[in-house]
Amino acid sequence: MRWIRWFSEIGITDVPLVGGKNASLGEMTRELAGLGVPVPDGFALTAEAFTAFLDANDLKPHLRALMAACAADPGQLEARAAEARDLILSSPLPAEVRAEVEASYAELSRRAGVGELEVAVRSSATAEDLPTASFAGAHQSLLNVLGPRELMEAVHRCYASLYTPRAIQYRVDMGFAHEAVALSVGVQHMLPADTAVSGVIFTIDPESGHPDIIVISAIYGLGENIVQGRVAPDEYHVHAPSLRAGYRPIIRRRLGAKEFRLVFNRQRHVHENVPVSPAERARFSLSDDEVLQLAGWASAIQAHYTGKAGRPTPMDIEFAKDGVRGGLFIVQARPETVHASRVDDTLTLYALDEGGRCLVEGTAVGDRIATGATRVLRDTSMLADFRPGEVLVTESTDPDWEPILKMAAAVVTEGGGRTSHAAIVARELGIPAVVGASGAMGALPSGRCVTVSCAEGETGRVYEGTLRFTREAVDPATLPATRTRMLLNVGEPDRAYRMSRLPADGVGLARMEFIFAGWVKVHPLALTRYEGLDVVTRRQVDDLTVGFPDKREYFVDTLAQGIGTLAAAFWPRPVILRFSDFKSNEYAHLLGGGAFEEAESNPMLGWRGASRYYHAGYKEGFLLEVAAVRRVREEMGLTNLHVMVPFCRTVKEGQQVLDVLAEGGLPRGTQGLLVYVMAEIPSNIILASEFAALFDGFSIGSNDLTQLVLGVDRDARRVAPLFDERDEAVKRCCASLIEAAHAAGRTVGICGQAPSDYPDFAAFLVGHGIDSISLNVDAVVRTRRVVAAAEASR
């Protein structure tokens, strides 16, 4: 056939890497089938057929004149675009083209074993899905098309969509000549996903650009809801290097609301949203095996296109599940456009300089901060009210909103997730967006000055008023190299992907307490001793652990996700996780904690750290922590994760903790596991050689060490001025520890606040040969320069 190419016949030498998703589908059908990537059967009506259609109807001069009129007077865009579409819709397809489409459709139906097959008809422009231009939603695709007549109408509508106002404007913005862009049409076996699941896969984290994270979003029903942001999807993160090594590295699962399911009503011949039952909403839409299968296919697809392009080519992929016969399929693939087009490694770090009242929150898109006056728009009839620099607040967006999105300082939508239209366009435009912000249109009336912050991790927040913030550009290539390892102090997994881009050699202190408080939220003994809880607390625990018949599994799974996210973000750089170091009063604040914690007059010196881990009053809780670490290392394959024991008062206590680790299946040295000890008590310094015989290294906790060496409570107003890590007594302790540890062949780092606050203290440590300095995020750049200068002067 002249105008038709079957997907199974399109070869790697026949089409370019870019220039239409249908070509990409054809390549995958033939070349990735051997890798186990199934794609629904179908055929493409080539871009040459579109050109033949234009020539047969002498449309090129008329379209050229209409586009010239748009360029001369942008105010005529809507009217001239409508004329262009009317020209196309009123012009017949050439008889030869029509005959080939009908014959190919008949063959596709025969292959499926039906008289007339429901198909998806997808438009694909020759400039579409480039690594630098997505044309997200600019051209039309139609689902559940049945019969030759509907198919011909769908082809016409796809052709006409090349001249919608948004498609015309996008070509102008991206510098594409109108006549240089043609359209092919893909006709694909329509999967009955309306009774199953569909979704989107990115082979790169779409927010941070982290190249090792595969992000899968899934909903019930047809995928249009996820693209348009009508529902909040389930989300899964998979660590690609560990997946390729044979592990099961689902490092994060997030349950979405999945409020509606888009289905095709065959009686009325319309697509409609129907509510999802509470039971379905409360469970994940994909099994772990399905998540790993999709991630494996996505990794194979990226490898295929990366090899073809000769450069890293992250992908944006759509999938669907056959609701009748079962089985997952890849239905579309295209290059990711935002991070793939980045030409330099300069980091721009945003941080709020002051707090404010949070008016609404949702999912953060991007990592920027913006300020402006709000403008609530309920539908496209209100677009003319929008002014440049305002913060758009609406329910959701589609391509018709793009002209004002280009003018917005930020976007806030009540619906949607990371793969919604608003999120995709906001990333491309480089503006912050908060999506899935329930109640935003009521909480943010028009004209209110707000600050939109996406610089605080996974949660985006809208604050009242115009808050001060800083923006710092960092080029890692300009920073000096250091002998001393420069590490980070981290705690919030939500920020880990972005923080991993900083010029650091790993993580010197990962605080488990942040994951306890923000993710787990419940005292571990309230799970291991669930039957003994009072009725009210049991009900609260039940609500928190829904979906987990085994309460212990909730703790291990949730904690492992948080830890795994940190370890995956920095892979293969080392991540040192400190076991829980809450004081008894802080444990008591966790759900159910009050029943298991005694009131102490001085919690800082009470039952904390190592003394809890082997004690009968907490050991079972510590073993859950150990189980979570094992899961991250053994099931997720993240063996860059190491552990650290805090507040270990005596050598005997150190040995007892190591014994419990071994009892929990995590003996020191297994698969290269390193076990460190915090040096934050004078006994750690005095008996450094003895502690060195048990542990692989030390990390100085300068805050507690200073308090205990000087006998100062830094929170006591009258003596707080005496608290100073640079006091000579503290400095001598640090120097003595470094000397003793090195003599025993052990390393010493520091993870306290002092090096972040005092560059001279960092220089002192470097002068004594400290092996690593772990810093707060905001201090890593300036301290690296201080350390390099100190090393140069030794």
Side-chain angles (χ1 to χ4, degrees):
M1 288 186 174
R2 181 180 180 186
W3 311 111
I4 297 295
R5 302 298 302 277
W6 286 89
F7 289 166
S8 56
E9 297 171 353
I10 299 175
I12 195 167
T13 60
D14 297 324
V15 292
L17 167 65
V18 295
K21 68 192 79 165
N22 301 317
S24 303
L25 282 169
E27 291 177 39
M28 284 188 292
T29 302
R30 195 183 86 161
E31 299 177 25
L32 297 184
L35 299 176
V37 180
V39 179
D41 197 7
F43 60 87
L45 180 60
T46 65
E48 290 78 10
F50 176 72
T51 302
F53 163 72
L54 297 180
D55 290 340
N57 293 282
D58 195 29
L59 296 181
K60 287 182 178 178
H62 301 286
L63 294 172
R64 189 182 306 120
L66 290 171
M67 294 304 98
C70 291
D73 182 3
Q76 296 188 43
L77 175 60
E78 292 279 349
R80 299 298 175 243
E83 288 184 49
R85 295 196 302 279
D86 288 342
L87 272 176
I88 291 173
L89 291 171
S90 61
S91 300
L93 289 173
E96 183 183 0
V97 173
R98 186 182 184 92
E100 289 194 11
V101 172
E102 289 178 344
S104 298
Y105 174 70
E107 172 61 17
L108 185 61
S109 298
R110 186 194 66 78
R111 293 181 183 186
V114 297
E116 291 184 343
L117 178 69
E118 281 191 356
V119 293
V121 182
R122 303 181 186 277
S123 58
S124 181
T126 53
E128 188 171 356
D129 299 328
L130 300 171
T132 55
S134 69
F135 280 82
H139 305 121
Q140 191 161 18
S141 293
L142 298 101
L143 305 179
N144 299 99
V145 174
L146 181 66
R149 183 182 60 80
E150 285 189 19
L151 177 56
M152 293 306 169
E153 291 177 359
V155 170
H156 252 122
R157 291 171 65 182
C158 286
Y159 281 174
S161 71
L162 195 62
Y163 288 93
T164 61
R166 59 180 178 265
I168 294 169
Q169 188 61 52
Y170 195 88
R171 290 195 294 273
V172 171
D173 293 341
M174 300 303 295
F176 293 115
H178 296 294
E179 289 189 47
V181 179
L183 198 86
S184 64
V185 177
V187 180
Q188 188 180 53
H189 186 152
M190 180 74 205
L191 296 172
D194 52 351
T195 58
V197 177
S198 58
V200 176
I201 311 169
F202 283 97
T203 61
I204 186 173
D205 176 51
E207 303 309 326
S208 66
H210 198 297
D212 289 342
I213 306 301
I214 298 171
V215 179
I216 301 173
S217 300
I219 59 172
Y220 297 122
L222 299 173
E224 186 70 8
N225 272 348
I226 201 171
V227 174
Q228 296 299 334
R230 298 190 186 106
V231 301
D234 295 335
E235 188 171 289
Y236 313 83
H237 294 198
V238 178
H239 185 239
S242 296
L243 180 70
R244 292 191 290 268
Y247 293 97
R248 296 175 62 84
I250 303 176
I251 60 173
R252 184 183 295 196
R253 300 177 197 83
R254 283 291 177 269
L255 188 69
K258 306 183 295 296
E259 304 96 322
F260 299 100
R261 182 199 315 266
L262 184 64
V263 301
F264 183 58
N265 186 322
R266 286 167 178 80
Q267 284 71 43
R268 299 173 54 210
H269 207 70
V270 295
H271 290 93
E272 58 187 15
N273 270 309
V274 297
V276 177
S277 70
E280 286 182 294
R281 293 179 63 184
R283 63 174 178 258
F284 285 100
S285 52
L286 295 172
S287 69
D288 283 1
D289 286 344
E290 289 173 327
V291 169
L292 294 170
Q293 184 177 60
L294 288 168
W297 292 343
S299 182
I301 293 169
Q302 174 171 296
H304 170 71
Y305 284 109
T306 293
K308 186 176 178 182
R311 64 178 184 276
T313 306
M315 300 296 292
D316 172 359
I317 301 165
E318 295 180 20
F319 70 90
K321 187 174 183 178
D322 189 325
V324 175
R325 291 172 295 274
L328 293 162
F329 291 82
I330 299 299
V331 298
Q332 187 166 296
R334 55 192 168 223
E336 187 272 347
T337 59
V338 176
H339 299 285
S341 60
R342 183 183 292 150
V343 295
D344 64 58
D345 293 326
T346 300
L347 307 177
T348 302
L349 306 178
Y350 289 76
L352 285 172
D353 293 336
E354 59 180 327
R357 185 165 75 93
C358 181
L359 302 174
V360 70
E361 62 182 35
T363 299
V365 175
D367 56 4
R368 302 190 179 199
I369 299 173
T371 61
T374 56
R375 175 70 63 179
V376 177
L377 301 183
R378 300 194 176 276
D379 54 55
T380 53
S381 67
M382 304 173 68
L383 296 185
D385 297 337
F386 195 81
R387 298 292 177 266
E390 291 183 326
V391 174
L392 171 63
V393 182
T394 188
E395 183 177 357
S396 63
T397 68
D398 60 32
D400 291 331
W401 294 73
E402 288 179 21
I404 66 165
L405 287 170
K406 295 183 177 72
M407 300 187 292
V411 183
V412 182
T413 65
E414 290 192 340
R418 298 177 193 274
T419 54
S420 66
H421 176 269
I424 291 171
V425 175
R427 289 189 202 100
E428 195 165 287
L429 296 174
I431 60 175
V434 179
V435 298
S438 179
M441 296 172 71
L444 305 173
S446 292
R448 190 168 194 170
C449 290
V450 298
T451 299
V452 180
S453 173
C454 292
E456 302 170 73
E458 186 179 62
T459 301
R461 297 181 175 88
V462 181
Y463 294 99
E464 185 176 39
T466 302
L467 303 183
R468 296 189 307 274
F469 67 92
T470 55
R471 180 175 58 189
E472 179 184 10
V474 178
D475 183 357
T478 65
L479 297 175
T482 60
R483 175 198 61 79
T484 309
R485 288 186 304 147
M486 306 302 294
L487 307 174
L488 290 176
N489 298 333
V490 300
E492 299 175 71
D494 291 341
R495 302 182 65 196
Y497 297 158
R498 293 189 181 98
M499 295 306 100
S500 70
R501 296 181 60 204
L502 289 168
D505 301 310
V507 174
L509 173 62
R511 300 179 176 97
M512 187 183 285
E513 304 86 64
F514 280 79
I515 308 172
F516 258 80
W519 289 36
V520 178
K521 301 179 181 178
V522 61
H523 195 290
L525 299 190
L527 304 175
T528 61
R529 305 179 189 180
Y530 169 79
E531 298 300 331
L533 298 176
D534 63 75
V535 174
V536 173
T537 304
R538 286 179 63 175
R539 187 178 300 116
Q540 292 173 320
V541 171
D542 288 342
D543 290 341
L544 182 65
T545 61
V546 64
F548 288 88
D550 183 346
K551 305 299 183 184
R552 294 174 176 82
E553 175 59 21
Y554 164 80
F555 184 95
V556 174
D557 182 73
T558 306
L559 185 58
Q561 287 185 53
I563 297 169
T565 298
L566 294 175
F570 288 88
W571 172 271
R573 291 169 287 175
V575 173
I576 301 173
L577 172 74
R578 184 177 68 189
F579 284 117
S580 63
D581 191 28
F582 279 136
K583 284 82 171 174
S584 57
N585 59 321
E586 294 167 333
Y587 275 110
H589 289 151
L590 295 171
L591 176 59
F596 304 103
E597 301 295 335
E598 296 179 0
E600 295 181 323
S601 59
N602 190 353
M604 204 279 285
L605 294 179
W607 195 35
R608 59 174 289 203
S611 62
R612 298 181 69 98
Y613 304 158
Y614 58 86
H615 193 285
Y618 187 78
K619 179 180 174 181
E620 63 203 75
F622 180 64
L623 285 172
L624 294 182
E625 298 181 29
V626 173
V629 172
R630 283 190 62 188
R631 182 166 297 182
V632 172
R633 288 177 55 86
E634 297 172 10
E635 294 186 20
M636 299 180 185
L638 297 168
T639 52
N640 62 322
L641 176 68
H642 305 285
V643 296
M644 183 157 59
V645 178
F647 223 76
C648 187
R649 294 173 170 92
T650 69
V651 175
K652 179 182 177 182
E653 199 168 53
Q655 183 60 60
Q656 289 173 294
V657 173
L658 293 176
D659 290 343
V660 178
L661 285 175
E663 179 184 338
L666 197 67
R668 174 185 163 209
T670 300
Q671 291 185 299
L673 175 68
L674 301 176
V675 182
Y676 296 89
V677 65
M678 292 284 293
E680 52 192 344
I681 305 171
S683 62
N684 302 141
I685 311 301
I686 297 168
L687 298 178
S689 298
E690 287 80 356
F691 279 102
L694 294 180
F695 296 100
D696 294 291
F698 299 85
S699 184
I700 299 170
S702 59
N703 292 342
D704 281 354
L705 183 62
T706 300
Q707 290 190 99
L708 294 172
V709 167
L710 299 180
V712 171
D713 180 354
R714 60 179 175 172
D715 295 324
R717 180 175 55 85
R718 290 174 175 167
V719 297
L722 297 174
F723 179 91
D724 188 350
E725 296 99 325
R726 297 167 296 175
D727 185 274
E728 186 61 28
V730 179
K731 291 168 68 175
R732 287 192 187 184
C733 284
C734 295
S736 173
L737 175 65
I738 294 170
E739 181 180 356
H742 285 178
R746 302 299 188 218
T747 60
V748 179
I750 184 168
C751 59
Q753 183 74 19
S756 296
D757 292 342
Y758 307 119
D760 58 327
F761 187 69
F764 163 80
L765 295 171
V766 170
H768 282 272
I770 199 164
D771 299 287
S772 64
I773 297 178
S774 195
L775 301 155
N776 295 337
V777 168
D778 59 355
V780 66
V781 173
R782 70 172 183 268
T783 308
R784 179 177 280 274
R785 295 191 177 104
V786 170
V787 168
E791 290 178 350
S793 65
R794 287 188 68 186

